[in-house]
């Protein structure tokens, strides 16, 4: 059974993330979306809120499970009995950071491989931080996120 983990902050989940989730879910038997709870950062949405939004967004995808984790990704990947980590690449600027993590993770956990999916071009500009910035200024975020996420963002900033 091929189990993969797609880790990230997902603060909040965007259409770019959803695209990666749908494509990765077709490639593996089981996809765990790992929502990172980083206690040294203050996210806009709590880990619980981010897990809930992802659960609603991924409702129609049968082989996807949403969990949150703290600490090292390699430990979470082993806990999930996964051997694949999925990451999205938007531009060359993502590459150096991702390469460092992929290589260091393989030293610690040689059975683990990182699978990079290149973003669909219509999402290559899109990041959670751009979405948060638009939302904070009451901008139109409907092109960027699923409708329920747009609703939650409006509630946050009202
Ligand atoms: P992180 O804090 O790990 O960067 P993010 O939630 O921003 O978490 O992103 C999680 C993963 O999704 C990363 O691999 C990132 O490159 C990828 N990703 C983010 N935005 C997009 C997008 N618009 N298209 C494709 N992949 C994306």
């Amino acid at each position: 059974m091929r189990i993969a983990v797609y880790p990230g902050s997902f603060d909040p989940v965007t259409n770019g993330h959803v695209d990666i989730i749908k494509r990765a879910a077709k490639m593996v038997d089981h996809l765990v979306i790992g929502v990172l709870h980083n206690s040294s950062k203050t996210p806009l949405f709590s880990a619980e809120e981010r897990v809930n939004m992802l659960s609603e967004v991924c409702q129609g995808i049968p082989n996807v499970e949403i969990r949150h984790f703290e600490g090292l990704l390699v430990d979470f990947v082993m806990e999930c009995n996964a051997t694949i980590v999925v990451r999205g690449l938007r531009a060359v600027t993502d590459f150096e950071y991702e390469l460092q993590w992929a290589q260091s993770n393989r030293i610690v956990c040689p059975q683990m491989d990182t699978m990079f999916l290149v973003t669909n071009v219509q999402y290559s500009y899109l990041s959670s931080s751009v979405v948060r910035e638009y939302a904070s200024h009451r901008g139109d975020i409907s092109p960027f996120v699923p409708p329920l996420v747009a609703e939650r963002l409006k509630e946050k900033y009202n």
Side-chain angles (χ1 to χ4, degrees):
M1 176 137 158
R2 242 184 333 221
I3 303 175
V5 169
Y6 178 34
S9 309
F10 305 105
D11 187 32
V13 56
T14 69
N15 291 336
H17 295 130
V18 175
D19 178 57
I20 298 286
I21 292 168
K22 287 184 177 159
R23 287 159 59 196
K26 285 189 194 149
M27 294 172 170
V28 299
D29 298 303
H30 190 69
L31 179 67
V32 180
I33 301 176
V35 176
L36 178 66
H37 173 63
N38 184 345
S39 45
S40 65
K41 282 191 186 168
T42 312
L44 178 62
F45 291 98
S46 69
E48 196 188 343
E49 288 173 317
R50 285 177 277 147
V51 166
N52 289 342
M53 279 190 281
L54 274 158
S55 304
E56 288 185 56
V57 166
C58 297
Q59 246 172 19
I61 315 171
N63 60 335
V64 167
E65 178 191 0
I66 328 287
R67 294 172 60 173
H68 65 84
F69 74 102
E70 267 189 89
L72 285 176
L73 176 62
V74 279
D75 294 334
F76 181 64
V77 168
M78 285 191 267
E79 196 186 307
C80 294
N81 291 317
T83 51
I84 302 165
V85 169
V86 174
R87 294 287 289 170
L89 283 182
R90 283 163 293 190
V92 72
T93 42
D94 281 340
F95 182 73
E96 204 166 336
Y97 172 82
E98 293 296 340
L99 187 70
Q100 280 182 336
W101 276 107
Q103 289 180 329
S104 53
N105 284 339
R106 265 184 71 77
I107 288 170
V108 180
C109 184
Q111 70 271 32
M112 175 175 143
D113 257 307
T114 305
M115 182 168 86
F116 293 108
L117 295 185
V118 173
T119 183
N120 268 326
V121 75
Q122 74 263 39
Y123 303 126
S124 56
Y125 64 88
L126 190 53
S127 69
S128 297
S129 54
V130 163
V131 169
R132 291 196 302 271
E133 191 68 22
Y134 260 84
S136 72
H137 296 289
R138 313 284 194 279
D140 178 15
I141 45 172
S142 59
F144 307 145
V145 293
L148 76 95
V149 178
E151 273 310 307
R152 304 284 155 80
L153 277 162
K154 277 185 202 149
E155 285 161 20
K156 270 280 171 209
Y157 285 108
N158 270 339

